[in-house]
Amino acid sequence: MPKAELLTDDQVDAALVSLPEWRARGAALVRTAELPSFAVAVEAVNRVAEIAERDDHHPDIDIRWRTLTFRCSTHVSGGITALDASLAQEIDAVLDALA
């Protein structure tokens, strides 16, 4: 994957306006979501995995029973890029569909 340009702090703040469940934490966008059950949480992970493979951009995902934490960061660039904001929006759509 080619190196993507890092977003400025102002650009990250602007992106977070349309991502109200997300927070900037260090070099990543982070969201934690609680799903109705473990099976639904795994289904969400599977759907996000399909998106990540399609886009060749993969979040870090922590699964704790029915609670998922997503971290979007462009590792090759060393922080948050437009790719992460876009992936966060796609993750939101998956979570909204399964909530």
Side-chain angles (χ1 to χ4, degrees), residues 19-25 29-35 41 60-72 88 91-92 95-96:
L19 298 166
E21 302 296 324
W22 293 81
R23 300 290 175 263
R25 297 257 161 77
L29 296 177
V30 180
R31 177 179 179 184
T32 298
E34 188 172 305
L35 285 294
D60 294 331
I61 305 171
D62 182 60
I63 305 169
R64 306 289 170 144
W65 183 38
R66 59 188 187 128
T67 301
L68 304 175
T69 300
F70 296 93
R71 287 179 181 79
C72 297
I91 291 170
D92 280 351
L95 295 174
D96 289 346

Side-chain angles (χ1 to χ4, degrees), residues 47-59 87 90:
R47 289 186 186 185
V48 170
E50 290 174 8
I51 292 165
E53 285 294 297
R54 180 197 70 212
D55 295 348
D56 193 27
H57 190 61
H58 305 82
L87 181 56
E90 292 188 273

Side-chain angles (χ1 to χ4, degrees), residues 73-90:
S73 180
T74 304
H75 301 290
V76 70
S77 299
I80 301 168
T81 69
L83 295 170
D84 302 304
S86 176
L87 181 56
Q89 289 177 331
E90 292 188 273

